[in-house]
Amino acid sequence: MGWRIRGVRGATTVAENSVAAVEEAVLELMAALEASNQIDPKDIASATFSVTPDIDAIFPAKVARSRPHWEHVPLLDVQHMHVEGDLPHCIRVILHINTPLEQEAIQHVYLNGAKHLRPDLKQVEF
């Protein structure tokens, strides 16, 4: 099989709506996603971040863009729709990557309070 675009999901939570908390959480999540899927930033087609309405201190994409070799990755931030009872203070991301990995080999990463959002997906523990 050749290279294809695959989706890689990740999510985490923050204890508070602050620049420092969002920066720490996004950097941890991006490092975990890259490490668990051997992602080279030059192979990322795009990334979309969503945050729950209670997070507005900083754009997660701005934090991701500060990482080495992420300056040319197309990034987008959106607000996650509100659903009663949803997990608060949550940052989600979907990366679209060019990879030789089959979809079932993708390692999705859920950290902190987001660990139980998708128990049906194969996940990596960090």
Side-chain angles (χ1 to χ4, degrees), residues 1 6-8 10 15-17 21 30 32 37 48 54-55 76 81 88 91 93 99 112 115 117 119 126:
M1 244 342 164
R6 301 286 184 202
V8 184
E16 64 182 22
N17 179 31
M30 295 298 94
N37 291 287
T48 301
D54 50 12
I55 299 175
L76 178 67
M81 64 181 274
I91 301 167
V93 65
T99 181
N112 303 310
K115 286 183 179 180
L117 282 176
F126 279 82

Short mmCIF file of all heavy atoms in Angstrom, two decimals, residues 1 6-8 10 15-17 21 30 32 37 48 54-55 76 81 88 91 93 99 112 115 117 119 126:
data_model
loop_
_atom_site.label_atom_id
_atom_site.label_comp_id
_atom_site.label_asym_id
_atom_site.label_seq_id
_atom_site.Cartn_x
_atom_site.Cartn_y
_atom_site.Cartn_z
N MET A 1 0.84 -1.19 0.00
CA MET A 1 0.00 0.00 0.00
C MET A 1 0.88 1.24 0.00
O MET A 1 1.90 1.29 0.67
CB MET A 1 -0.81 0.00 1.28
CG MET A 1 -2.30 -0.10 1.26
SD MET A 1 -3.19 0.24 -0.21
CE MET A 1 -4.70 -0.47 0.19
N ARG A 6 -4.65 10.11 6.40
CA ARG A 6 -5.36 9.46 7.51
C ARG A 6 -5.70 10.51 8.56
O ARG A 6 -4.99 11.50 8.72
CB ARG A 6 -4.49 8.38 8.17
CG ARG A 6 -4.04 7.28 7.25
CD ARG A 6 -5.17 6.35 6.92
NE ARG A 6 -4.67 5.25 6.11
CZ ARG A 6 -5.42 4.53 5.33
NH1 ARG A 6 -6.71 4.77 5.23
NH2 ARG A 6 -4.91 3.55 4.63
N GLY A 7 -6.77 10.27 9.28
CA GLY A 7 -7.16 11.13 10.38
C GLY A 7 -6.62 10.59 11.69
O GLY A 7 -6.69 9.40 11.96
N VAL A 8 -6.07 11.47 12.50
CA VAL A 8 -5.56 11.12 13.82
C VAL A 8 -6.29 12.00 14.82
O VAL A 8 -6.23 13.23 14.73
CB VAL A 8 -4.03 11.35 13.94
CG1 VAL A 8 -3.54 10.87 15.29
CG2 VAL A 8 -3.29 10.65 12.82
N GLY A 10 -7.24 13.33 18.75
CA GLY A 10 -6.67 13.53 20.07
C GLY A 10 -7.53 14.50 20.85
O GLY A 10 -8.26 15.31 20.28
N ALA A 15 -7.26 22.34 33.45
CA ALA A 15 -7.85 22.61 34.76
C ALA A 15 -8.49 23.99 34.82
O ALA A 15 -9.41 24.22 35.61
CB ALA A 15 -6.80 22.46 35.86
N GLU A 16 -7.97 24.91 33.99
CA GLU A 16 -8.48 26.28 33.99
C GLU A 16 -8.32 26.91 32.63
O GLU A 16 -7.52 26.46 31.81
CB GLU A 16 -7.75 27.12 35.04
CG GLU A 16 -6.26 27.28 34.72
CD GLU A 16 -5.51 28.07 35.77
OE1 GLU A 16 -5.97 28.14 36.92
OE2 GLU A 16 -4.45 28.62 35.42
N ASN A 17 -9.08 27.96 32.40
CA ASN A 17 -9.02 28.71 31.14
C ASN A 17 -7.94 29.77 31.27
O ASN A 17 -8.22 30.93 31.55
CB ASN A 17 -10.38 29.35 30.86
CG ASN A 17 -10.37 30.17 29.59
OD1 ASN A 17 -9.66 29.86 28.65
ND2 ASN A 17 -11.17 31.22 29.56
N ALA A 21 -2.24 27.14 30.94
CA ALA A 21 -2.85 25.81 30.98
C ALA A 21 -3.10 25.28 29.57
O ALA A 21 -2.86 24.10 29.28
CB ALA A 21 -4.15 25.85 31.77
N MET A 30 0.19 17.45 21.33
CA MET A 30 0.87 17.39 20.04
C MET A 30 2.10 16.48 20.10
O MET A 30 2.35 15.69 19.19
CB MET A 30 1.28 18.78 19.56
CG MET A 30 0.12 19.72 19.26
SD MET A 30 -0.96 19.16 17.94
CE MET A 30 -2.23 18.30 18.85
N ALA A 32 2.55 13.95 22.09
CA ALA A 32 2.08 12.56 22.20
C ALA A 32 1.58 12.05 20.86
O ALA A 32 1.86 10.90 20.49
CB ALA A 32 0.98 12.48 23.26
N ASN A 37 2.59 8.21 16.53
CA ASN A 37 2.31 7.91 15.12
C ASN A 37 3.48 8.24 14.20
O ASN A 37 3.32 8.25 12.98
CB ASN A 37 1.06 8.68 14.66
CG ASN A 37 -0.18 8.15 15.33
OD1 ASN A 37 -0.65 7.07 14.99
ND2 ASN A 37 -0.69 8.89 16.30
N THR A 48 -7.29 20.58 12.68
CA THR A 48 -8.41 21.39 13.17
C THR A 48 -8.55 21.13 14.66
O THR A 48 -8.65 19.98 15.10
CB THR A 48 -9.72 21.02 12.46
OG1 THR A 48 -9.56 21.24 11.06
CG2 THR A 48 -10.88 21.87 12.98
N ASP A 54 -15.98 27.08 27.18
CA ASP A 54 -15.35 27.62 28.39
C ASP A 54 -13.85 27.86 28.23
O ASP A 54 -13.16 28.22 29.19
CB ASP A 54 -15.64 26.74 29.61
CG ASP A 54 -15.33 25.27 29.35
OD1 ASP A 54 -14.70 24.94 28.33
OD2 ASP A 54 -15.73 24.43 30.18
N ILE A 55 -13.32 27.68 27.03
CA ILE A 55 -11.90 27.95 26.76
C ILE A 55 -11.80 29.06 25.72
O ILE A 55 -12.24 28.89 24.58
CB ILE A 55 -11.17 26.69 26.25
CG1 ILE A 55 -11.22 25.58 27.30
CG2 ILE A 55 -9.72 27.02 25.89
CD1 ILE A 55 -10.62 24.28 26.84
N LEU A 76 -6.58 25.31 12.00
CA LEU A 76 -7.86 25.98 12.18
C LEU A 76 -8.36 25.74 13.59
O LEU A 76 -8.24 24.62 14.11
CB LEU A 76 -8.88 25.44 11.16
CG LEU A 76 -10.30 25.99 11.23
CD1 LEU A 76 -10.32 27.47 10.84
CD2 LEU A 76 -11.22 25.18 10.34
N MET A 81 -19.43 22.51 19.48
CA MET A 81 -20.83 22.76 19.80
C MET A 81 -21.13 22.37 21.24
O MET A 81 -20.55 21.44 21.79
CB MET A 81 -21.76 22.02 18.85
CG MET A 81 -21.69 20.52 18.93
SD MET A 81 -22.80 19.72 17.76
CE MET A 81 -24.30 19.69 18.72
N PRO A 88 -16.30 19.39 30.17
CA PRO A 88 -15.86 20.79 30.16
C PRO A 88 -14.36 20.93 29.97
O PRO A 88 -13.61 19.97 30.15
CB PRO A 88 -16.29 21.30 31.54
CG PRO A 88 -16.25 20.08 32.41
CD PRO A 88 -16.64 18.93 31.51
N ILE A 91 -10.12 20.28 24.88
CA ILE A 91 -9.49 20.66 23.61
C ILE A 91 -9.41 19.39 22.78
O ILE A 91 -8.84 18.38 23.22
CB ILE A 91 -8.08 21.22 23.83
CG1 ILE A 91 -8.12 22.45 24.73
CG2 ILE A 91 -7.40 21.52 22.49
CD1 ILE A 91 -6.76 22.89 25.25
N VAL A 93 -8.57 17.69 18.77
CA VAL A 93 -7.86 17.96 17.51
C VAL A 93 -8.05 16.77 16.58
O VAL A 93 -8.18 15.62 17.03
CB VAL A 93 -6.36 18.22 17.75
CG1 VAL A 93 -5.64 16.99 18.28
CG2 VAL A 93 -5.68 18.73 16.49
N THR A 99 0.56 9.30 5.41
CA THR A 99 1.25 8.22 6.11
C THR A 99 1.08 6.90 5.37
O THR A 99 0.07 6.69 4.69
CB THR A 99 0.73 8.09 7.55
OG1 THR A 99 1.43 7.04 8.23
CG2 THR A 99 -0.76 7.80 7.59
N ASN A 112 -5.59 13.24 30.12
CA ASN A 112 -6.25 13.89 31.25
C ASN A 112 -7.72 13.49 31.33
O ASN A 112 -8.04 12.32 31.21
CB ASN A 112 -6.02 15.39 31.21
CG ASN A 112 -4.53 15.71 31.19
OD1 ASN A 112 -3.79 15.20 32.01
ND2 ASN A 112 -4.10 16.52 30.24
N LYS A 115 -9.65 11.06 28.61
CA LYS A 115 -9.28 9.65 28.38
C LYS A 115 -10.46 8.74 28.04
O LYS A 115 -10.29 7.73 27.38
CB LYS A 115 -8.55 9.10 29.60
CG LYS A 115 -7.15 9.60 29.73
CD LYS A 115 -6.45 8.98 30.91
CE LYS A 115 -5.03 9.48 30.99
NZ LYS A 115 -4.31 8.90 32.12
N LEU A 117 -13.35 9.64 26.42
CA LEU A 117 -14.25 10.12 25.37
C LEU A 117 -14.50 9.08 24.28
O LEU A 117 -15.61 8.98 23.77
CB LEU A 117 -13.67 11.38 24.70
CG LEU A 117 -13.82 12.68 25.46
CD1 LEU A 117 -13.11 13.81 24.71
CD2 LEU A 117 -15.27 13.03 25.69
N PRO A 119 -13.63 5.30 24.14
CA PRO A 119 -13.07 4.02 24.55
C PRO A 119 -13.07 2.97 23.44
O PRO A 119 -12.37 1.97 23.53
CB PRO A 119 -13.97 3.58 25.72
CG PRO A 119 -15.24 4.34 25.52
CD PRO A 119 -14.86 5.63 24.83
N PHE A 126 -0.25 7.89 27.90
CA PHE A 126 0.92 8.71 28.18
C PHE A 126 0.89 9.15 29.61
O PHE A 126 -0.08 9.25 30.23
CB PHE A 126 0.97 9.93 27.26
CG PHE A 126 1.53 9.61 25.90
CD1 PHE A 126 0.74 9.07 24.92
CD2 PHE A 126 2.88 9.84 25.64
CE1 PHE A 126 1.26 8.77 23.68
CE2 PHE A 126 3.40 9.53 24.39
CZ PHE A 126 2.58 8.99 23.42
#
